[in-house]
Amino acid sequence: MSGPLLYSNVPIASGNQIYLERSRIDQILEKAFDSRTIIVTAGAGYGKTHAVYSFLKKYEYLTVWMQLSGWDNEGSRFWENFTAAIRSISARSADRLAEMGFPETERQFERYLTIPQTLVIPSAKYVFVYDDFHLIQDKKVLRFMEHSIGMPFPNITSILISRNEPAITIAARGESIAARITEVDLKFTQEEMGEYFRIQNIRTSPQTAAAVYRDCEGWAFAIHLSGLFLKNALPRGGIAAGAGHGYVPQVMRSNIFKLIETEVMGPLTPSLRKFLVKLSLCDHLPRELPELIAKAESPENNLIDEMEKIGSFIHFDTYRNAYQIHHLFLEYLEKQQDTLAAEEKKTVYEKAAAWCVENNQKMDAISYYEKAENFSGIIALIFTLPLIVPTLMAKFILDMLDRNSQEFYEENQAIIIVRARILVSLGFFAEAAQELKSAIPLLEAALPTPLIHRLLLGCYITLGFIGLINSINTADYGFAGLFEKAATHAPLSGYVTRPPVSVLTISSYICRVGSSAKGGMEKYIETLTAIAPHAAVAMGGCMMGLDDLAKAELAFFRGDTAEAEKQAHIALLRAVEGMQYEIENQALFYLLRIYLGRGNYEEMRRILKEMEARLDQCYYLNRFIYHDVNMGWLCAQIGNTAQLAPWLKNDFEESDLNSMARGLEILVKAKSHFAEKRYPVALAALENWTDDAGAPVLGRVETKALESVCRYHLRDREGAFAALEQAYKLSEPNGFTMPFTELGKDMRTLAEAALKDKPPGLPVLWLEECRRNAAAYAKKLYIIAKLFDKGASENDGAKKTADVSAALSRREREVLSYLSQGLTREEIAAASNLSINTIKSNVRSIYNKLGAANRADAVRIAAELRILRETHNSTGTKGRRFPA
């Protein structure tokens, strides 16, 4: 039997209105009633009110429904509304409340508390519903609501219905303080939409129903409008316009757009309307970008506050840290873009591009600059990129360049260098070299100016790198003089190259030598030693430490770990001096492998901390990918594949690294599959590398060695010996031993089998040495793996801290730090140079992510999880942590 559902004002609906029974929402609400406060947040048209109303109809709760309005921001008016609501369940309480007046002070609120204490019936269940709570902005009314909702009565449940997160904190009253129901919960499922249509006697084909749902995205308002349209189009007694052709999205949109125009846009100020149309020009709306556009549009008005009151059409997503516009509303706004002048559009694009540059979103910045026709901005931005850029970015930039006219090229001479660098990044070396060689005579004949010298510097340095890259196949090192020529133009250009442009992009193997012939490695390293000083002059420290790292790599692969360690430390020092972050990273990676082979756990932990510290360096553009790959190698080596980055576990996903740098990535994927005993998958991962004659010989040795043990585990003894023989023949001229040693017990077992079978292509002495080295390595690897397992288990207690801390953005951690120091939101806004609305949004997001009810609760939870200590000491960089 239904209990009394009472209102202080504005009843929801008449008794004969048809409601859809949504059992799914009822179950969510029923579970939410374990909490004393239920917050229902969703935009207009999501059915918040009807969902709560239809649920409460089924229960014998003493329910008070208070429909709030903007007038309730005045204390006395709010009190009249509130006491009228109370009168519906207790006239005596209402009289006493009216006599007392609105409680503005703490003492008055204490008096207010005595009234429900004497009148609340312990055996009854009370529900107070505050509808349209988002309309309340007055601080005194909000403070009263905070106190009132926090009253210590277990049989009173408060329900706040709001278009956005209520601007109050809910005082802690024990467990189950507040439950939240959001737009995600309230969205109609396709089945619920179908049931609603059946109630409305609307028959549709499955195709029509799917099309409607796809357009409406579960939005109740749009579903209702679509239903009305279909009902009007429905032939008497049949399916809408015959088997699904009656639903015309364009017609439905037209009706929705008319409603948006009259009901949503109509009441808005002209400046807010124009502001919303300007927002539709942007592909992504991070928090700060609308604020920049709003200030330019109307400095005297707070357009962000006005925008947030619109409701579900546009809302702030705390997890994406960006505003989201409903796709139908966005489509409407896009149709209004013609109302903007060309100069207005250009201003928005310029602001968006500037924000993207500042926040290292360079592809988006290039796109916005192109829309603004700011080609000098594009060129300046591309010159901040490294010499070799990721493949996807290179394709994006080349497409942009090809879209523009010959006039664009003629007006921007620097495009010569930009285009050549992009072609090199995509592997079009011959085309890039041809264009540069054609440009050099023209530039050298021109009147020498700093720009001409800078262009010649770019031409020679790019041609030099093309020669260096191609030398893996040609073994021709005549390009060394190009670096010297580049260095002569550098001081005359008046331009100093800095990171990230000056940061050398290196491949998976430093010694990019394709031939296994004896002496080839030494000749390559001699060339690096010759060109490195000139490259450092020409490109602001570029290549510093590269030749030392190549010496370390060669010594390591030969098993001379003492020499490898010495050269790696030299490379590290020189790379730090030249700000060569990729060289630093690779030097640390080889040191990690050296200490693993020695069984030195403490040194490994130290190196891991150093590697993680590099994640703070914003000019090290590929740092997270390289960190994942290096840590993936270690995880696979010690058998802890659960710690691999998710993208490395995917058989089909690749990073956006340039193809030259993917060798180690492929090897790591194969090693991880091998560690998980997925031998066929490991072999599949190796296929594209082992048979590539253009791959560095070091990579081919490692992958062939791994292939041999994979085949042995698959009981392909003949195939295993054949692959091992190939690896041996590639390694023997230069004395490479480490690729076999690092395979530990698996190589020991294979070597023992080969010694037993005596295949003709594998020398006995070499097999015996291989077995000894691998066996010794296996013992140390076993101990190291156990130590890492122990370290990981000790870190399990901190897992929640890491998860929650990672969920908080850098800005949220800063705001949390200020909260812990007792600063008000206004003081935090002033200290951070941000708007009060931005700070409020951050605070709400912090509460949600921590599961906190208020400031004190948030600070307590953060202190317990040790997030505050991390916040005070950290720079906020999010890198993958490795248990050490």
Side-chain angles (χ1 to χ4, degrees):
M1 156 179 152
S2 295
L5 187 59
L6 306 167
Y7 310 88
S8 65
N9 56 8
V10 192
I12 286 185
S14 59
N16 61 358
Q17 183 164 342
I18 297 174
Y19 287 96
L20 171 66
E21 295 289 338
R22 300 179 70 190
S23 58
R24 180 177 61 85
I25 301 300
D26 289 347
Q27 289 171 7
I28 294 172
L29 281 163
E30 190 168 346
K31 185 177 180 181
F33 260 75
D34 292 338
S35 305
R36 297 183 188 175
T37 305
I38 301 171
I39 300 173
V40 183
T41 56
Y46 271 89
K48 306 182 294 297
T49 297
H50 285 170
V52 174
Y53 174 75
S54 60
F55 172 78
L56 291 176
K57 279 177 64 179
K58 302 171 186 170
Y59 293 90
E60 294 184 352
Y61 297 148
L62 290 170
T63 303
V64 173
W65 194 295
M66 188 170 177
Q67 183 69 47
L68 299 167
S69 71
W71 293 102
D72 290 306
N73 284 294
E74 202 282 314
S76 59
R77 168 62 174 77
F78 170 84
W79 200 244
E80 290 176 4
N81 197 358
F82 184 74
T83 54
I86 298 297
R87 188 174 299 280
S88 63
I89 58 171
S90 173
R92 181 183 173 195
S93 296
D95 290 340
R96 291 181 61 183
L97 289 172
E99 180 183 340
M100 185 188 77
F102 178 69
E104 295 191 12
T105 65
E106 291 294 330
R107 175 174 290 184
Q108 288 172 330
F109 187 80
E110 291 297 327
R111 284 180 55 208
Y112 158 72
L113 273 182
T114 62
I115 297 173
Q117 283 174 350
T118 59
L119 296 173
V120 169
I121 303 169
S123 60
K125 175 67 175 179
Y126 295 84
V127 179
F128 282 72
V129 181
Y130 302 95
D131 202 353
D132 283 340
F133 195 88
H134 57 276
L135 296 175
I136 303 302
Q137 303 292 326
D138 182 76
K139 290 183 179 180
K140 292 180 180 178
V141 175
L142 288 172
R143 185 176 63 183
F144 168 78
M145 293 301 299
E146 285 181 349
H147 288 327
S148 183
I149 291 169
M151 289 190 302
F153 300 116
N155 56 335
I156 296 179
T157 293
S158 300
I159 301 178
L160 278 58
I161 302 176
S162 177
R163 290 188 183 180
N164 44 48
E165 187 69 19
I168 62 171
T169 55
I170 301 168
R173 300 180 296 178
E175 295 182 1
S176 300
I177 296 167
R180 284 177 168 80
I181 297 173
T182 67
E183 286 181 2
V184 175
D185 303 308
L186 292 169
K187 278 185 176 181
F188 272 61
T189 65
Q190 189 165 342
E191 291 73 21
E192 288 172 332
M193 184 192 75
E195 181 60 28
Y196 174 74
F197 282 174
R198 282 189 286 275
I199 290 174
Q200 297 291 337
N201 198 28
I202 301 168
R203 296 176 62 200
T204 66
S205 71
Q207 298 94 325
T208 297
V212 173
Y213 188 76
R214 185 171 56 251
D215 273 346
C216 296
E217 293 185 340
W219 184 27
F221 171 67
I223 288 172
H224 175 67
L225 284 178
S226 299
L228 289 177
F229 169 72
L230 289 172
K231 200 167 189 179
N232 292 333
L234 183 68
R236 185 169 299 178
I239 295 177
H245 298 292
Y247 172 69
V248 183
Q250 292 81 2
V251 179
M252 187 275 286
R253 280 175 166 77
S254 177
N255 285 301
I256 288 182
F257 291 168
K258 288 176 183 176
L259 196 64
I260 290 173
E261 177 65 35
T262 56
E263 299 297 324
V264 180
M265 299 294 280
L268 303 183
T269 62
S271 57
L272 182 57
R273 288 173 65 104
K274 180 176 283 190
F275 168 63
L276 293 173
V277 175
K278 286 183 175 181
L279 291 188
S280 72
L281 294 169
C282 303
D283 299 320
H284 180 56
L285 294 172
R287 184 196 308 272
E288 299 86 354
L289 184 52
E291 291 176 355
L292 292 172
I293 299 171
K295 287 178 183 176
E297 176 63 31
S298 181
E300 67 280 2
N301 295 322
N302 194 332
L303 294 178
I304 299 295
D305 270 357
E306 293 182 39
M307 175 184 73
E308 290 180 343
K309 291 174 184 176
I310 293 175
S312 64
F313 293 103
I314 183 165
H315 70 281
F316 186 76
D317 187 326
T318 55
Y319 292 98
R320 296 182 185 180
N321 200 38
Y323 286 95
Q324 302 295 312
I325 303 178
H326 190 281
H327 78 102
L328 288 173
F329 189 43
L330 179 60
E331 194 173 327
Y332 166 83
L333 293 173
E334 288 171 345
K335 289 182 178 294
Q336 309 303 310
Q337 289 176 4
D338 288 342
T339 63
L340 299 174
E343 195 60 34
E344 289 178 311
K345 293 180 183 178
K346 184 176 180 180
T347 300
V348 172
Y349 291 138
E350 290 279 7
K351 288 186 179 298
W355 185 91
C356 290
V357 169
E358 187 177 340
N359 290 273
N360 205 33
Q361 296 181 12
K362 296 188 176 180
M363 287 175 71
D364 286 343
I366 290 170
S367 179
Y368 284 126
Y369 274 139
E370 184 182 14
K371 290 176 181 177
E373 298 182 349
N374 183 348
F375 298 114
S376 61
I378 292 174
I379 294 170
L381 178 55
I382 293 176
F383 270 108
T384 68
L385 300 174
L387 287 172
I388 298 178
V389 301
T391 302
L392 288 179
M393 180 179 283
K395 289 179 179 177
F396 174 82
I397 295 172
L398 187 60
D399 287 344
M400 183 276 298
L401 294 176
D402 287 346
R403 280 195 298 271
N404 287 282
S405 64
Q406 183 62 33
E407 185 181 352
F408 165 63
Y409 284 86
E410 292 171 356
E411 292 177 356
N412 299 277
Q413 288 180 287
I415 289 294
I416 300 168
I417 312 302
V418 169
R419 183 177 168 82
R421 283 171 49 186
I422 299 306
L423 290 171
V424 168
S425 297
L426 292 171
F428 301 141
F429 305 122
E431 186 178 345
Q434 176 69 34
E435 292 185 9
L436 291 170
K437 289 176 181 178
S438 298
I440 286 175
L442 299 175
L443 291 170
E444 288 183 335
L447 182 67
T449 64
L451 174 59
I452 293 298
H453 284 297
R454 184 178 174 187
L455 293 176
L456 284 168
L457 160 63
C459 287
Y460 283 119
I461 202 77
T462 307
L463 278 173
F465 277 113
I466 290 172
L468 182 62
I469 293 167
N470 282 335
S471 68
I472 190 171
N473 297 314
T474 64
D476 178 3
Y477 302 118
F479 59 83
L482 295 169
F483 287 91
E484 187 173 358
K485 284 187 177 181
T488 62
H489 287 285
L492 301 173
S493 70
Y495 178 74
V496 179
T497 310
R498 294 185 174 88
V501 185
S502 62
V503 179
L504 180 68
T505 300
I506 60 178
S507 64
S508 301
Y509 297 91
I510 307 306
C511 295
R512 297 192 74 254
V513 177
S515 169
S516 61
K518 187 175 182 179
M521 293 284 178
E522 287 82 358
K523 188 174 181 181
Y524 181 82
I525 292 172
E526 286 174 10
T527 302
L528 291 184
T529 303
I531 65 177
H534 301 303
V537 171
M539 294 287 292
C542 184
M543 291 182 68
M544 285 185 66
L546 185 66
D547 52 334
D548 304 292
L549 183 56
K551 294 172 187 175
E553 182 177 77
L554 178 57
F556 175 79
F557 273 84
R558 286 174 169 170
D560 186 353
T561 57
E563 178 66 16
E565 181 183 21
K566 182 182 98 174
Q567 294 296 339
H569 278 298
I570 294 172
L572 185 60
L573 289 172
R574 294 187 64 202
V576 169
E577 181 186 351
M579 292 183 285
Q580 297 300 294
Y581 307 113
E582 294 200 19
I583 296 175
E584 290 178 40
N585 172 75
Q586 199 76 336
L588 289 169
F589 179 57
Y590 277 119
L591 287 170
L592 184 73
R593 292 170 74 170
I594 290 166
Y595 296 134
L596 174 59
R598 293 177 182 171
N600 193 330
Y601 178 65
E602 291 304 318
E603 280 298 303
M604 288 184 69
R605 289 184 61 189
R606 180 181 66 79
I607 294 297
L608 287 170
K609 288 178 182 177
E610 283 201 46
M611 292 172 80
E612 190 161 319
R614 267 62 181 181
L615 295 176
D616 291 342
Q617 180 47 258
C618 64
Y619 292 131
Y620 179 13
L621 299 183
N622 292 317
R623 58 194 182 279
F624 293 109
I625 295 175
Y626 281 127
H627 190 74
D628 284 349
V629 171
N630 291 344
M631 292 303 96
W633 185 95
L634 178 58
C635 290
Q637 194 73 357
I638 65 176
N640 185 9
T641 56
Q643 290 287 328
L644 255 72
W647 68 270
L648 279 170
K649 296 179 182 180
N650 188 322
D651 297 345
F652 306 102
E653 185 176 351
E654 291 184 340
S655 73
D656 192 33
L657 289 175
N658 185 272
S659 58
M660 292 185 298
R662 281 208 193 106
L664 186 59
E665 175 185 326
I666 294 169
L667 181 65
V668 167
K669 285 191 174 187
K671 284 176 73 71
S672 69
H673 297 321
F674 179 81
E676 294 172 346
K677 301 182 179 180
R678 301 171 65 204
Y679 306 120
V681 182
L683 287 173
L686 293 172
E687 277 182 5
N688 292 332
W689 182 264
T690 54
D691 296 327
D692 182 1
V697 66
L698 293 176
R700 301 200 329 264
V701 173
E702 284 204 286
T703 50
K704 275 296 177 185
L706 181 57
E707 180 189 339
S708 69
V709 291
C710 280
R711 294 194 181 281
Y712 188 76
H713 278 286
L714 290 171
R715 300 184 180 181
D716 177 9
R717 210 175 178 94
E718 184 177 341
F721 293 155
L724 185 60
E725 182 181 346
Q726 286 180 276
Y728 163 70
K729 288 180 177 178
L730 286 169
S731 66
E732 191 275 333
N734 289 285
F736 302 144
T737 60
M738 194 57 75
F740 309 98
T741 300
E742 286 186 320
L743 288 170
K745 62 182 178 62
D746 297 290
M747 183 53 67
R748 178 197 64 197
T749 303
L750 177 58
E752 287 173 349
L755 284 167
K756 181 179 178 181
D757 287 17
K758 296 183 174 58
L762 294 169
V764 171
L765 290 178
W766 180 82
L767 286 171
E768 288 177 345
E769 181 187 10
C770 190
R771 180 183 61 180
R772 284 194 303 272
N773 291 342
Y777 184 92
K779 293 176 183 177
K780 294 169 185 173
L781 181 63
Y782 176 80
I783 295 170
I784 291 293
K786 289 293 183 184
L787 289 171
F788 272 111
D789 283 344
K790 181 181 177 183
S793 63
E794 288 172 353
N795 286 342
D796 282 346
K799 184 178 186 302
K800 184 178 180 182
T801 303
D803 290 346
V804 175
S805 179
L808 294 175
S809 67
R810 176 193 292 268
R811 177 169 293 159
E812 287 166 351
R813 290 199 291 272
E814 291 174 353
V815 171
L816 178 59
S817 177
Y818 284 129
L819 288 173
S820 71
Q821 298 169 40
L823 272 67
T824 65
R825 296 178 188 186
E826 289 78 9
E827 289 169 337
I828 296 173
S832 307
N833 197 28
L834 297 168
S835 73
I836 184 64
N837 291 313
T838 298
I839 298 302
K840 286 178 181 178
S841 295
N842 273 275
V843 171
R844 288 197 295 270
S845 179
I846 290 168
Y847 289 173
N848 287 337
K849 291 177 181 179
L850 293 180
N854 52 34
R855 174 198 293 259
D857 202 24
V859 172
R860 175 186 60 76
I861 292 170
E864 288 176 356
L865 294 177
R866 296 185 296 176
I867 295 173
L868 276 176
R869 183 172 64 186
E870 176 184 297
T871 300
H872 291 312
N873 296 330
S874 153
T875 61
T877 300
K878 288 190 281 186
R880 185 167 285 100
R881 308 287 169 178
F882 192 88

